[in-house]
Amino acid sequence: MMQNEGPKRFDRVVSILIQLQSKRIIKAQELAERFEVSLRTIYRDIKTLEASGVPIYSEAGIGYSLMDGYRMPPVMFTQEEAASFVAAEKLVQKFTDKVMQRDFASAMYKLKALLRTNDKDLVSNIESQVVMQPMQKKFNENVPNALSTLFESIARKTQVHFWYEAINALKPTERIIEPVGVFHQDNFWYIIAYCHLRKDYRQFRTDRIQRISQTDKRFTQKHQSLDYYLQSKEQRPTRKVKIEVHHTVAKYLKGERSYYGFIEEELIDDKVTMTFEVQDLENGFARWFMMFGDHAKILEPESLKARIQELLELNVKNLKE
């Protein structure tokens, strides 16, 4: 253990220096959690950097930062880190808008320029063998800068002007929003923002944005963190649902069931009993159930059976017209 502490500590101290360069201010607790060591160890490592001539500014209760103007020479990447660039680049190419793809591609050229020759060959060999296939369209093709505009707005704390077509709307509506944060869920990108039209916080899906532009108007509200609004969203009232699905069909639902509040399952003979906590019973869950309902049974609640019956009657009526 003692023999390994030297190299491990050296790597950690160098990594702390890189972390200090990556952020304006970083707290000792963040570093301790990042490297899974005690605060006392972080304090000791910081003193080691200071003794080596690294100009670190610290303030109690605030954190550590490097003096303005200090930079260390470019670091070299490990082969594993170099390989991870490929996955990141492929994800950006398929899961972000065109402007962000362009900017990331430019950054990747700079990163690849720092690689050793062998590592450049490794990256080139992997690149053509990695493919990402998104299931849905993430952005309106006529709005190539949606995600980058939202990121800029969050960073600058300035309002965004856009036209948004809600799922139940006949035409787009004009909105002025103050974006709180962006998150990816169920194969789509979403924004949580304060909407000046609705005078409340709303969730928007990026593929429904028709036009978007940055403004110079500052935020008028003081917003909580994104986690706060996501937790509030998750705390909406739910309904318990239990269904019984034939095992030959149940295996095909594993990729989707988490989107509908899946909790647990139990295999009994050739049937799988699934339990859900559902937020949108009448539309989201009911319509999803109809996709495989010929191989399933609703155990509870009775109201779900009634809703499925209603939807089926509407389908039959529409077919007859």
Side-chain angles (χ1 to χ4, degrees):
M1 289 289 292
M2 292 299 294
Q3 290 178 342
N4 291 332
E5 178 60 23
K8 285 172 61 179
R9 186 181 180 217
F10 175 80
D11 290 342
R12 186 176 64 246
V13 170
V14 172
S15 295
I16 288 174
L17 180 53
I18 294 171
Q19 292 284 310
L20 287 168
Q21 284 198 121
S22 68
K23 297 179 68 174
R24 190 169 65 86
I25 297 174
I26 190 165
K27 295 181 178 180
Q29 185 63 45
E30 290 181 59
L31 293 170
E33 292 173 359
R34 165 72 175 79
F35 298 106
E36 298 180 348
V37 296
S38 66
L39 283 171
R40 184 177 178 181
T41 297
I42 294 299
Y43 297 148
R44 185 186 64 182
D45 291 344
I46 291 292
K47 286 184 178 179
T48 298
L49 286 170
E50 290 175 327
S52 301
V54 178
I56 298 175
Y57 175 80
S58 62
E59 185 173 342
I62 303 297
Y64 298 107
S65 61
L66 291 175
M67 293 293 185
D68 285 345
Y70 178 81
R71 290 290 182 272
M72 63 181 282
V75 296
M76 299 307 294
F77 299 101
T78 66
Q79 284 197 346
E80 292 78 11
E81 289 169 339
S84 72
F85 295 159
V86 176
E89 186 173 25
K90 297 293 182 178
L91 286 167
V92 169
Q93 287 172 355
K94 294 295 184 180
F95 289 87
T96 63
D97 61 24
K98 290 183 179 179
V99 170
M100 189 161 287
Q101 292 169 22
R102 180 200 65 197
D103 293 341
F104 189 84
S106 176
M108 280 297 296
Y109 282 121
K110 295 175 183 177
L111 284 171
K112 290 174 183 177
L114 298 175
L115 299 177
R116 293 180 287 262
T117 301
N118 289 342
D119 294 339
K120 289 177 182 177
D121 292 340
L122 178 144
V123 168
S124 296
N125 291 339
I126 296 175
E127 280 180 322
S128 62
Q129 303 303 323
V130 178
V131 176
M132 302 290 178
Q133 296 284 14
M135 294 176 62
Q136 279 97 7
K137 182 178 70 173
K138 304 293 185 296
F139 301 94
N140 185 331
E141 293 180 357
N142 297 320
V143 188
N145 62 331
L147 199 58
S148 52
T149 298
L150 292 166
F151 279 19
E152 183 181 357
S153 167
I154 293 168
R156 294 175 54 200
K157 298 188 183 302
T158 52
Q159 298 175 16
V160 167
H161 172 252
F162 67 21
W163 290 82
Y164 186 75
E165 187 171 4
I167 191 169
N168 57 351
L170 296 176
K171 61 181 181 179
T173 56
E174 186 177 11
R175 308 288 184 102
I176 298 291
I177 64 167
E178 299 182 9
V180 174
V182 178
F183 65 98
H184 189 271
Q185 180 177 297
D186 302 349
N187 293 307
F188 291 103
W189 282 98
Y190 293 89
I191 318 146
I192 287 183
Y194 179 82
C195 176
H196 283 269
L197 178 65
R198 305 303 184 198
K199 306 298 182 186
D200 199 1
Y201 290 90
R202 289 288 189 269
Q203 179 173 302
F204 304 95
R205 216 169 79 181
T206 56
D207 61 308
R208 295 181 184 149
I209 296 174
Q210 304 301 308
R211 281 179 283 167
I212 189 168
S213 61
Q214 185 69 253
T215 77
D216 293 325
K217 294 181 180 178
R218 303 289 296 176
F219 284 0
T220 61
Q221 310 286 324
K222 185 174 177 60
H223 308 295
Q224 300 279 359
S225 68
L226 177 61
D227 284 341
Y228 172 85
Y229 298 102
L230 290 177
Q231 288 170 6
S232 299
K233 174 174 169 284
E234 291 170 358
Q235 291 168 2
R236 289 183 301 181
T238 60
R239 296 284 304 278
K240 183 179 180 180
V241 173
K242 293 188 75 171
I243 62 174
E244 185 181 86
V245 187
H246 196 274
H247 74 94
T248 57
V249 174
K251 61 183 179 181
Y252 295 108
L253 305 180
K254 291 184 178 181
E256 297 181 354
R257 65 190 187 184
S258 61
Y259 303 152
Y260 298 93
F262 173 77
I263 300 297
E264 61 184 3
E265 69 177 6
E266 182 182 6
L267 177 63
I268 302 175
D269 297 327
D270 61 347
K271 303 289 195 306
V272 178
T273 299
M274 297 184 185
T275 303
F276 299 80
E277 289 289 342
V278 180
Q279 291 181 343
D280 184 5
L281 181 69
E282 293 196 349
N283 289 301
F285 190 90
R287 295 179 188 279
W288 177 63
F289 179 86
M290 290 178 68
M291 296 172 60
F292 56 89
D294 55 330
H295 295 282
K297 181 189 297 184
I298 298 170
L299 303 180
E300 62 173 284
E302 289 297 320
S303 60
L304 178 58
K305 296 180 182 180
R307 176 56 175 163
I308 296 294
Q309 182 67 37
E310 180 185 6
L311 291 172
L312 288 172
E313 289 173 358
L314 287 171
N315 283 344
V316 171
K317 179 182 176 182
N318 290 336
L319 287 171
K320 291 180 177 179
E321 291 179 352

